[in-house]
């Protein structure tokens, strides 16, 4: 099965030379996803809305190739400030509560100051 690259239409993907996701057989690797509304390229100010936007983008990306959040087996969370962690994790729990993938959480500075949180995921569809 050929490798397929998925784009969300973000101009940053072309600029930085990456795909929103790469599908390889039963695997889907989704790049780090920030909380932009990719229709408007607007970044909301609050962590909760950024996180909901991330999950919207993740769901749309996964669905393009027959995956769903339930197929996510690994996620990496990056939070720019530890004060953002609790509201961020509350939203993550809303989406991943019953799925419970393996997760790594890091506190780290992100690419731009308006980006407060970022998630990448790996999904497997048997």
């Amino acid at each position: 099965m050929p490798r397929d690259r998925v784009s969300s239409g973000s101009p940053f993907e072309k600029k930085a030379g990456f795909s929103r996701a790469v599908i390889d057989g039963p695997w889907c690797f989704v790049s780090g996803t920030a909380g932009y509304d990719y229709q408007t390229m607007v970044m909301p100010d609050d962590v909760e809305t950024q996180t909901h936007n991330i999950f919207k983008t993740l769901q749309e990306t996964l669905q393009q190739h027959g995956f769903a959040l339930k197929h996510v087996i690994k996620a990496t969370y990056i939070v720019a400030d530890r004060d953002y962690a609790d509201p961020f994790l509350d939203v993550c729990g809303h989406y991943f509560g019953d799925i419970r993938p393996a997760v790594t959480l890091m506190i780290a500075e992100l690419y731009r100051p308006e980006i407060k949180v970022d998630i990448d995921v790996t999904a497997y569809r048997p």
Side-chain angles (χ1 to χ4, degrees):
M1 176 175 271
R3 185 171 289 173
D4 193 12
R5 290 165 184 80
V6 177
S7 174
S8 68
S10 165
F12 191 67
E13 292 169 22
K14 184 169 178 92
K15 176 183 178 177
F18 74 96
S19 296
R20 171 63 40 219
V22 175
I23 312 298
D24 196 345
W27 294 94
C28 180
F29 303 90
V30 182
S31 295
T33 303
Y36 286 101
D37 175 334
Y38 284 104
Q39 303 296 326
T40 63
M41 287 309 293
V42 171
M43 177 65 78
D45 289 331
D46 65 289
V47 171
E48 293 89 346
T49 304
Q50 285 191 25
T51 309
H52 283 293
N53 284 352
I54 289 170
F55 276 96
K56 178 183 178 206
T57 301
L58 291 174
Q59 288 173 312
E60 289 171 356
T61 301
L62 291 165
Q63 288 172 354
Q64 285 184 25
H65 288 275
F67 290 85
L69 285 180
K70 69 181 182 180
H71 296 116
V72 173
I73 59 171
K74 175 73 173 99
T76 302
Y77 299 159
I78 303 173
V79 179
D81 185 304
R82 72 181 71 250
D83 290 340
Y84 302 153
D86 284 332
F88 169 75
L89 291 171
D90 288 343
V91 177
C92 292
H94 170 78
Y95 290 94
F96 278 152
D98 292 331
I99 300 165
R100 298 181 58 198
V103 169
T104 299
L105 170 67
M106 295 183 281
I107 308 296
E109 185 175 355
L110 291 163
Y111 175 64
R112 293 193 172 145
E114 68 269 18
I115 302 172
K116 296 178 177 169
V117 292
D118 188 274
I119 301 173
D120 74 57
V121 300
T122 300
Y124 177 76
R125 184 188 59 215

